[in-house]
Amino acid sequence: MLLSVILVSSCTEKKEQNAKAPTRVTTEVVSTAMNASGQTYVGIVEEREATAVSFTGMGVVKRVLVSDGQAVARGQLIAEMDDTQARNLLSGAEAQMTQANDALARYKMLHDAGSLPEVQWVEIQSKVAQAKSQLEVAKKNLADCRLVAPVSGIVGKRLVGAGETALPSQAVISILDISSVKVKVAIPEAEISGIGANTTSMIKVEAVDGSFTGGQIEKGVQADALTHTYDIRIHVANGERKLLPGMVASVQFVAVAQRQAQLLSVPVTAVQRKADGSLFVWTVGKDSTAHRSAVTTGETMGNRIVVATGISEGDRIVTEGYQKLSEGTKVVF
């Protein structure tokens, strides 16, 4: 009897020793809330409009009165060109105008007295008109030696400095209008159809630690040949002038995020493929055992993938440690 008890006790101990410990895994409960954040895109802040300001004639720049980043108002003097030659030309034009007016006054007396041929009277009138035209041109040339801001904004960049020769239509400075800005985003061709001109967007710019609501959207119609993306530009109000060209922004489209929030998704790495090509995920039952669940998938959203069929909201799936699993394996999480 004693021997039987010892044998039974020994067998029980061996069975307990041979019992396999549960496998530790990491899991996730499937929920539509996992997708509420939606897809995030990277954008670049651009000015609303850029204006290149230049002299209309050629000459040596005498001084530039503004610097990069400075706010300027419409009509403000921003640069001057050496006006010595323009002043000399104006003085000559004024002298010709005085001479023409004096001749006109003397010939008028003769014309009124009827002793001046009509041809000569017409000729002197033409000379007066010519002198007046030259005077106006000389005044315009002198005025053009002063460069004023055609619009209000901030100076983006100074392109010509004092002492340099400015050529006609060569930009001296650029003025940026940032009363409102545009955020440029590259959208993959598969997603561009889901974004319309009035799609609401949320924009976050870490450089100013602020979030902004996007306005109307301009959609490009030509895709990049290499990346197959379309450029869109989102209008953003910038009354406080916080947003500056070149800042990096994170962009999320509210309508897209709401659509994605209605879908079930799992980490891409959680989806496994069988030898026959079918897909499955490991799910954990109420008895803490692992089971293969066949699934069909849809679009990818970052590091997650939409699961169309095979799982339901509330199911627990294995996201890490699935390499050690087999059907019916006990797990702990």
Side-chain angles (χ1 to χ4, degrees):
M1 184 181 294
L2 179 60
L3 181 60
S4 299
V5 172
I6 293 173
L7 289 174
V8 171
S9 177
S10 176
C11 291
T12 302
E13 289 177 0
K14 287 182 180 180
K15 288 181 179 178
E16 291 178 354
Q17 290 176 357
N18 292 335
K20 189 175 181 180
T23 301
R24 181 166 293 279
V25 294
T26 301
T27 65
E28 174 186 297
V29 177
V30 178
S31 171
T32 54
M34 298 296 294
N35 314 316
S37 59
Q39 177 68 35
T40 299
Y41 303 84
V42 177
I44 299 294
V45 177
E46 296 181 343
E47 66 277 1
R48 179 175 178 268
E49 188 174 358
T51 303
V53 186
S54 60
F55 289 104
T56 57
M58 183 177 71
V60 177
V61 177
K62 184 165 63 176
R63 57 175 181 165
V64 180
L65 304 174
V66 295
S67 56
D68 293 356
Q70 178 180 337
V72 295
R74 182 178 180 180
Q76 178 179 337
L77 180 64
I78 56 179
E80 286 184 315
M81 184 186 293
D82 184 3
D83 60 359
T84 303
Q85 184 178 1
R87 288 187 180 279
N88 291 336
L89 291 175
L90 178 61
S91 297
E94 288 175 340
Q96 289 182 355
M97 188 74 248
T98 300
Q99 183 180 9
N101 285 332
D102 181 65
L104 179 65
R106 286 186 286 106
Y107 278 99
K108 185 176 186 303
M109 290 187 295
L110 295 175
H111 179 266
D112 293 343
S115 58
L116 181 70
E118 191 66 26
V119 174
Q120 289 184 334
W121 176 242
V122 173
E123 182 180 351
I124 191 60
Q125 286 182 319
S126 298
K127 288 183 178 179
V128 171
Q130 184 178 3
K132 184 177 181 181
S133 176
Q134 292 177 347
L135 178 61
E136 294 298 325
V137 171
K139 288 181 178 179
K140 178 69 165 54
N141 289 338
L142 179 60
D144 287 344
C145 291
R146 292 167 52 88
L147 188 62
V148 298
V151 294
S152 299
I154 63 170
V155 178
K157 191 174 184 180
R158 249 176 43 159
L159 303 171
V160 176
E164 297 183 69
T165 300
L167 300 175
S169 302
Q170 177 190 9
V172 176
I173 67 167
S174 61
I175 299 178
L176 308 180
D177 181 1
I178 59 170
S179 56
S180 65
V181 295
K182 300 177 183 179
V183 178
K184 178 183 174 182
V185 185
I187 304 297
E189 60 180 9
E191 302 171 19
I192 190 67
S193 61
I195 299 172
N198 298 314
T199 299
T200 304
S201 58
M202 296 301 298
I203 299 167
K204 185 175 182 181
V205 181
E206 292 186 0
V208 297
D209 192 24
S211 296
F212 307 84
T213 301
Q216 188 175 9
I217 296 175
E218 299 176 6
K219 294 176 63 175
V221 296
Q222 187 170 1
D224 185 278
L226 296 177
T227 61
H228 296 284
T229 58
Y230 289 83
D231 287 340
I232 68 169
R233 287 173 170 82
I234 308 169
H235 289 253
V236 181
N238 191 31
E240 298 181 6
R241 306 297 197 275
K242 288 184 177 181
L243 299 178
L244 300 177
M247 289 183 173
V248 178
S250 297
V251 180
Q252 187 178 86
F253 297 99
V254 176
V256 175
Q258 290 173 346
R259 178 177 60 84
Q260 292 176 348
Q262 299 172 359
L263 304 174
L264 295 178
S265 72
V266 298
V268 173
T269 54
V271 180
Q272 306 296 306
R273 187 181 296 275
K274 293 182 181 180
D276 61 1
S278 60
L279 304 177
F280 71 95
V281 295
W282 286 103
T283 56
V284 179
K286 293 182 179 180
D287 58 352
S288 297
T289 57
H291 303 280
R292 290 186 182 88
S293 297
V295 296
T296 57
T297 58
E299 63 180 319
T300 57
M301 301 183 299
N303 62 348
R304 301 183 70 83
I305 186 168
V306 173
V307 177
T309 62
I311 58 174
S312 303
E313 186 169 8
D315 288 348
R316 184 178 294 275
I317 65 166
V318 178
T319 58
E320 294 181 20
Y322 43 77
Q323 300 89 344
K324 302 172 288 184
L325 299 180
S326 58
E327 185 66 28
T329 301
K330 285 283 187 179
V331 298
V332 291
F333 46 87

